[in-house]
Amino acid sequence: MKKFIFLICLFLSYITYSQTKKFEITGTIKSSEDNELLESATVHAERLKDSSIIAYTITNSKGYFNVSGKTADTKVKLVVSYLGFKPYTKILDVKNQNTGALSLKPANMLEAVVITSSAPITIKKDTVEFNVKSFKTKKDANVEDLLKKLPGVEVDDEGNITVNGKSVNKILVNGKPFFGNDPTITTRNLTKDIIEKIQITDTKTNAQAFAGEDSDGENKTINLTIKNENNKGYFGKTAAGIGTDGRYEYAGMATRFKQSERIGLLAGGNNINSPGFSFGNQRLQFGGNDRNFSGGQGIVTSNNYGVNYINSFGKIFELASDYFYKKSESDNKTNTNRETFLADGSSFITNSNNTTFNESDTHDASIDFEIEVDSTFRVDIESDFNADINKNTYTSISESFNDTNTLTNDSNSNSIADSNIKSFDNEINLTKRFGAKGAFLRVEVTANIRKSETEDLVSSETNVYGTNPEQIIRNQFSDGNSDKTEIGSEVTYRFPLIPKLLSFDVAYQYSNTNTKSERSTFNFDENTNDYTDFSSLLSTDFEYLDKVKRPRAKLEFRNDKLSTSAQIAYVNRTLENKDYLRPETNLIREFNNLEYGLNFRYRKDRTTSYRFRYNFRNDTPSLFQLQPFRDESNPLNIVTGNPGLEPTKTHSLRFGISNFNWKDRTGFWAFGNISIANDRVVANTIIDPNTLIRETSYANVNGYFSFQGGGSYSVTKKWEDFGSLKSEFRLFGNHNKNVNFNNGVQYSSNSTSISPRIGFDFMWDDILQIRPSYSISLSKNTYDIEQFSDKDFTSHDVLLSTATFLPKKFEWRNDLKYNYNPNIADGFQKSAWFWNTTLGYSILN
């Protein structure tokens, strides 16, 4: 505590006695050749003694800039950078001044290669590039620490990244995946020191980028460029821990860089329920959010191993591959006490105890080929293989009481189920460009195969009481096989109506999915002392056919500021179910529907953008919901499909705005999503009041409505040679209207929630970091049925994260969380404290 008070006092004294002076430098930037005003040129002021950045901005559409800041120096260097031009520098006195019009000279091709800019930010068409040296972090910072310093970039505690409110769904290293598809393995293992540039752009597929297509703008990609001198050699990390009650964890990885070739090895394991490469400090180092390295709930033990290989062979052929093996065991026990309220005002209570033990062995392998035959023809091939072997032991005991507390039914069951599932997915993409006007032809072919084998041994006893008591005893063995084959193709051709501005796309998509599913169930025969009595009631033999034909057309206009498109598609879909055991339930349904959409995106400048999207879709019911087969595998919950279901018709609206003020270091983004659906498919369950046996089918309902919206505003304050303080306010809310059935009675419910959050992030260079935040969640549920009571819920969360880096080589981190929920019933704890603390010491460099 004394050390903490000393640091705070030192901080206050530093602010009080620092002799700084404000300055503001304005002007315009233009080309020396044609006097064209240059938009998105980077202008920054740096210190003469160490070239550290004091303040920076970018020019607006009229070439105007305004750089303002504070410094104790008497002179600063003004630096102007713009792609394709020579950098401009000038020494200026620290005062308010207007430089007038500054002219940049074009760089010839040789100079464009040789000249490097120290600008913190460079705008390259749709890409924002950050110079790593311009953003100060602690000495041993990783990429995640660095990303938190970039304007407009947010990183949460789980490692999820957003840029101006848009999710980052891909992180690349020198344009290639680092280790599989998990971004946290990249951001938490690569150090800042080996990174030269960070590029942020809209996410596109390789084929879209090659053909020059525009993306939907909903996701972002981050590419990390490694310095040439660091793109060779070895890199690795290891960590391990032991705890009480035999708890342990370990993780390690090693990577070899050799120009375009990269080989990586990864291993980890624990028995502390961590889904990735461990908990606490190891989780912060090794990541593990994307791939499901271990499965299940309860007490989980997992071991994970992987290898990754990436290489380029000349300028034509590139290869990326990885393999992961995962072994896990999970032991889970749950006790549930549930009261269900019915539309007539009555209710019933169900108590259940379930025990599950699962053993899983999983193999995942993928290989991607990128072949650029020449500047006009590209081939992308992707193959994925998965093998999953599971053994599941399950025990369940349940009992139900009516509203007079009379036992109505009970059941107990035991099962041992083995499954072996294999899948092989392939996709080939060929893209051919024609001429320089933007025409292209793209052909996509997919072939996916999935095979599964299952064996299930079940013994159960179900008792139904009341006026007509019944006992159902089952001692059965089942084996099943399922083979699914999916063949698909899509052909797209673009007609450039106005080169680089207006285009017309025509496309045709076809897919054919065939699924054969057979399950044979045998009752135990006491005469043969074996499972030989075939059960036609619980056995199935289905063949599903799903054919889709989808021609579509799209008109698109795009320039530097505006991107808009309109598309329409005609969908012909045929669903067929063949039941070889019950031919009377065979089913064929054909659906013909139109789908259409509009997309609008406007970039006012390089920092402000608006987007709007509207779509109308028809979602056909699944064959499981359509087929009139009566599934009695659970005698207390019988399910029957409805062959008369109609497709769900959904109107979706999405809109958003984002802005980052480079001068004031303020960021703002907001979004809204609206969805309206008719003929929505919902479950309709009828409960027998005497036996409480549930009969479930499906029905179409109208009136579904959903709205989600939110936004964020942040501002960063920096002090020269000291640190920074980032303040952020976020607000999220949603409103949903759902239409459902309760014991055959249709009703609607409205759910409204709002969640404001305020947080701060203070960083004192390599000494101290403090991150406090507070959030509250408010929700209200209302019903249009008298028997259901409206409900209000409130929850408070307070978080405090600290990190101190003194003395040198020490690192002490604390995460303190407090939650208070006043809606928890009396007699139970309404609040909870959580504290994680980590102390680390660096031994070597």
Side-chain angles (χ1 to χ4, degrees):
M1 179 61 70
K2 292 181 179 180
K3 183 183 295 185
F4 181 80
I5 296 175
F6 168 76
L7 293 174
I8 295 297
C9 294
L10 188 60
F11 161 69
L12 295 175
S13 64
Y14 190 97
I15 296 298
T16 304
Y17 295 105
S18 293
Q19 301 297 315
T20 60
K21 183 178 180 181
K22 293 183 179 180
F23 68 89
E24 184 177 65
I25 305 172
T26 60
T28 56
I29 308 299
K30 64 180 183 178
S31 169
S32 62
E33 280 193 337
D34 51 14
N35 289 324
E36 178 187 3
L37 296 174
L38 300 179
E39 180 186 2
S40 300
T42 304
V43 185
H44 72 274
E46 62 182 42
R47 304 185 71 184
L48 298 181
K49 67 176 184 179
D50 57 9
S51 299
S52 60
I53 305 296
I54 301 174
Y56 60 88
T57 188
I58 65 171
T59 57
N60 62 16
S61 59
K62 297 181 180 179
Y64 175 79
F65 70 88
N66 184 319
V67 178
S68 60
K70 293 181 180 180
T71 180
D73 298 343
T74 58
K75 293 181 181 294
V76 296
K77 179 191 285 188
L78 186 72
V79 182
V80 182
S81 303
Y82 192 79
L83 188 65
F85 289 81
K86 298 179 181 179
Y88 174 92
T89 62
K90 187 176 183 180
I91 307 300
L92 299 175
D93 293 329
V94 176
K95 64 179 181 179
N96 297 338
Q97 55 190 297
N98 187 298
T99 64
L102 303 179
S103 298
L104 300 187
K105 297 179 180 179
N108 60 43
M109 294 185 62
L110 179 61
E111 290 175 322
V113 175
V114 175
I115 294 175
T116 58
S117 171
S118 60
I121 298 175
T122 302
I123 307 295
K124 298 179 178 180
K125 294 185 178 181
D126 294 336
T127 302
V128 180
E129 183 177 274
F130 297 93
N131 187 343
V132 170
K133 293 189 299 183
S134 302
F135 297 91
K136 193 172 183 180
T137 63
K138 62 189 182 78
K139 183 179 179 181
D140 58 345
N142 57 23
V143 171
E144 183 174 294
D145 297 324
L146 175 61
L147 290 174
K148 293 177 181 179
K149 298 294 181 179
L150 303 184
V153 179
E154 300 288 340
V155 184
D156 65 17
D157 292 336
E158 298 300 321
N160 301 307
I161 307 168
T162 57
V163 178
N164 286 330
K166 299 179 183 179
S167 297
V168 173
N169 64 343
K170 187 184 295 185
I171 293 187
L172 306 174
V173 177
N174 286 345
K176 303 298 175 186
F178 175 62
F179 211 118
N181 298 318
D182 185 357
T184 58
I185 294 180
T186 305
T187 58
R188 290 172 173 170
N189 287 279
L190 291 184
T191 62
K192 171 193 173 182
D193 294 335
I194 69 172
I195 305 299
E196 183 176 26
K197 303 284 186 181
I198 294 180
Q199 299 166 330
I200 301 178
T201 187
D202 291 336
T203 297
K204 295 181 181 181
T205 65
N206 291 331
Q208 285 178 322
F210 183 76
E213 289 185 271
D214 197 13
S215 69
D216 60 12
E218 295 299 324
N219 298 104
K220 293 289 186 179
T221 293
I222 292 179
N223 181 47
L224 309 174
T225 302
I226 295 181
K227 301 174 184 177
N228 287 331
E229 62 269 24
N230 291 327
N231 203 25
K232 54 186 177 181
Y234 295 87
F235 174 84
K237 281 188 175 183
T238 60
I242 58 174
T244 58
D245 299 324
R247 302 301 175 200
Y248 69 87
E249 58 178 347
Y250 69 92
M253 69 173 300
T255 302
R256 189 191 75 168
F257 294 88
K258 188 178 180 182
Q259 301 307 322
S260 63
E261 184 183 51
R262 196 160 70 237
I263 301 176
L265 300 174
L266 179 148
N270 67 83
N271 62 354
I272 56 173
N273 298 34
S274 178
F277 280 88
S278 199
F279 176 80
N281 190 43
Q282 287 191 34
R283 179 186 62 82
L284 292 177
Q285 291 181 8
F286 293 99
N289 288 333
D290 187 69
R291 287 186 177 268
N292 185 20
F293 286 99
S294 62
Q297 297 176 326
I299 304 300
V300 179
T301 301
S302 62
N303 293 279
N304 326 284
Y305 309 96
V307 60
N308 174 261
Y309 179 76
I310 295 175
N311 201 358
S312 297
F313 302 90
K315 298 181 179 180
I316 297 178
F317 180 71
E318 294 184 358
L319 168 68
S321 61
D322 59 51
Y323 165 77
F324 289 90
Y325 169 72
K326 295 159 282 186
K327 181 179 178 63
S328 68
E329 296 179 354
S330 62
D331 191 357
N332 187 32
K333 297 181 180 180
T334 60
N335 296 323
T336 304
N337 305 97
R338 176 179 298 163
E339 184 173 7
T340 302
F341 296 91
L342 303 180
D344 60 2
S346 63
S347 66
F348 65 91
I349 295 175
T350 301
N351 303 322
S352 63
N353 299 309
N354 301 318
T355 301
T356 305
F357 182 77
N358 177 267
E359 298 175 273
S360 174
D361 286 89
T362 304
H363 302 264
D364 275 319
S366 69
I367 184 168
D368 299 343
F369 299 96
E370 299 177 17
I371 307 169
E372 195 163 316
V373 180
D374 55 39
S375 60
T376 66
F377 186 42
R378 177 185 177 92
V379 180
D380 292 279
I381 303 174
E382 180 178 344
S383 296
D384 297 288
F385 172 79
N386 173 270
D388 193 359
I389 302 173
N390 278 278
K391 182 175 183 179
N392 192 74
T393 303
Y394 177 76
T395 301
S396 175
I397 301 175
S398 70
E399 53 184 10
S400 297
F401 300 84
N402 61 19
D403 53 3
T404 63
N405 203 31
T406 301
L407 180 64
T408 306
N409 65 61
D410 60 36
S411 70
N412 66 81
S413 64
N414 300 274
S415 72
I416 300 175
D418 296 334
S419 66
N420 187 344
I421 303 173
K422 297 177 182 178
S423 63
F424 187 39
D425 300 330
N426 300 274
E427 180 178 335
I428 301 176
N429 190 302
L430 300 93
T431 305
K432 174 66 177 179
R433 298 189 303 195
F434 302 97
K437 297 182 179 181
F440 69 83
L441 173 68
R442 181 167 62 244
V443 178
E444 299 178 48
V445 179
T446 58
N448 304 323
I449 300 173
R450 178 185 173 90
K451 294 180 176 292
S452 66
E453 299 176 354
T454 60
E455 291 186 352
D456 192 1
L457 184 63
V458 177
S459 63
S460 67
E461 178 182 330
T462 302
N463 297 294
V464 179
Y465 304 102
T467 56
N468 297 306
E470 181 183 10
Q471 185 179 58
I472 304 171
I473 296 177
R474 291 177 178 174
N475 184 6
Q476 299 167 332
F477 172 78
S478 300
D479 60 35
N481 296 279
S482 177
D483 295 329
K484 180 178 180 180
T485 303
E486 180 181 9
I487 304 296
S489 63
E490 184 173 3
V491 180
T492 305
Y493 186 81
R494 168 163 292 183
F495 297 91
L497 303 178
I498 301 177
K500 305 298 183 181
L501 289 177
L502 184 65
S503 62
F504 181 68
D505 294 357
V506 292
Y508 183 81
Q509 180 183 358
Y510 173 80
S511 68
N512 187 351
T513 304
N514 181 281
T515 305
K516 296 180 179 180
S517 178
E518 181 180 2
R519 179 179 177 88
S520 299
T521 300
F522 300 89
N523 297 312
F524 184 80
D525 190 335
E526 294 184 356
N527 295 322
T528 62
N529 200 35
D530 198 359
Y531 296 92
T532 56
D533 181 16
F534 181 77
S535 172
S536 58
L537 177 67
L538 300 179
S539 299
T540 58
D541 190 357
F542 295 117
E543 182 177 5
Y544 303 116
L545 299 175
D546 185 356
K547 295 181 181 179
V548 177
K549 303 172 185 177
R550 188 174 184 267
R552 65 176 176 87
K554 182 173 75 170
L555 185 66
E556 180 180 78
F557 174 83
R558 181 178 59 171
N559 60 19
D560 291 339
K561 291 185 176 294
L562 177 64
S563 174
T564 182
S565 64
Q567 62 178 334
I568 187 170
Y570 177 78
V571 182
N572 170 260
R573 186 171 189 177
T574 302
L575 296 175
E576 182 177 1
N577 170 51
K578 298 179 180 180
D579 190 337
Y580 293 105
L581 291 180
R582 306 165 190 85
E584 68 275 8
T585 65
N586 288 351
L587 172 73
I588 299 179
R589 287 290 303 273
E590 183 173 353
F591 302 91
N592 296 284
N593 302 292
L594 280 177
E595 297 182 341
Y596 42 85
L598 298 170
N599 187 49
F600 174 87
R601 184 170 56 175
Y602 175 67
R603 290 188 178 95
K604 180 181 177 181
D605 48 44
R606 293 296 185 181
T607 62
T608 305
S609 66
Y610 306 88
R611 64 187 187 277
F612 169 84
R613 174 176 292 182
Y614 164 76
N615 285 306
F616 173 72
R617 293 287 182 267
N618 283 275
D619 298 316
T620 57
S622 68
L623 273 168
F624 178 78
Q625 295 169 329
L626 287 169
Q627 64 182 18
F629 167 65
R630 182 178 171 88
D631 184 357
E632 298 187 39
S633 56
N634 182 349
L636 296 179
N637 185 19
I638 301 169
V639 181
T640 306
N642 179 3
L645 292 174
E646 294 297 324
T648 301
K649 304 169 182 65
T650 305
H651 301 265
S652 299
L653 293 171
R654 305 181 69 181
F655 50 89
I657 178 176
S658 61
N659 172 267
F660 188 86
N661 187 314
W662 306 100
K663 174 180 176 293
D664 297 330
R665 287 188 174 86
T666 59
F668 168 77
W669 57 265
F671 76 96
N673 298 328
I674 298 175
S675 182
I676 302 171
N678 288 321
D679 287 328
R680 193 165 186 246
V681 178
V682 300
N684 183 7
T685 300
I686 305 295
I687 302 176
D688 188 310
N690 296 316
T691 64
L692 299 182
I693 293 177
R694 302 181 296 277
E695 290 268 0
T696 300
S697 187
Y698 301 93
N700 291 114
V701 295
N702 296 326
Y704 172 81
F705 174 82
S706 175
F707 170 78
Q708 294 90 33
S712 170
Y713 176 80
S714 63
V715 58
T716 301
K717 178 70 174 177
K718 297 192 70 175
W719 293 279
E720 184 184 17
D721 283 339
F722 186 68
S724 63
L725 175 64
K726 181 178 181 179
S727 307
E728 181 187 29
F729 176 76
R730 288 192 178 193
L731 180 66
F732 292 96
N734 66 74
H735 174 78
N736 297 307
K737 179 184 178 181
N738 286 285
V739 180
N740 289 290
F741 290 92
N742 181 279
N743 210 23
V745 177
Q746 183 174 318
Y747 73 98
S748 63
S749 61
N750 290 273
S751 174
T752 304
S753 66
I754 185 170
S755 303
R757 177 186 181 275
I758 186 170
F760 302 90
D761 186 350
F762 170 72
M763 186 69 191
W764 183 0
D765 291 345
D766 295 337
I767 300 175
L768 174 68
Q769 182 181 27
I770 303 177
R771 298 174 57 200
S773 67
Y774 167 74
S775 62
I776 181 173
S777 178
L778 307 169
S779 64
K780 183 178 182 66
N781 298 312
T782 61
Y783 306 90
D784 66 352
I785 187 170
E786 294 182 358
Q787 288 76 10
F788 293 170
S789 302
D790 296 342
K791 299 293 183 181
D792 296 334
F793 298 95
T794 304
S795 180
H796 304 263
D797 284 291
V798 178
L799 300 173
L800 177 63
S801 297
T802 66
T804 56
F805 310 102
L806 287 179
K808 189 177 180 180
K809 293 189 176 184
F810 271 97
E811 181 176 318
W812 183 25
R813 292 184 178 272
N814 291 277
D815 292 311
L816 188 65
K817 179 180 179 179
Y818 172 75
N819 172 263
Y820 175 69
N821 188 341
N823 303 108
I824 295 178
D826 294 336
F828 294 90
Q829 187 172 327
K830 297 177 183 290
S831 62
W833 289 91
F834 303 91
W835 178 32
N836 290 329
T837 184
T838 305
L839 181 64
Y841 178 73
S842 300
I843 301 175
L844 304 175
N845 291 327

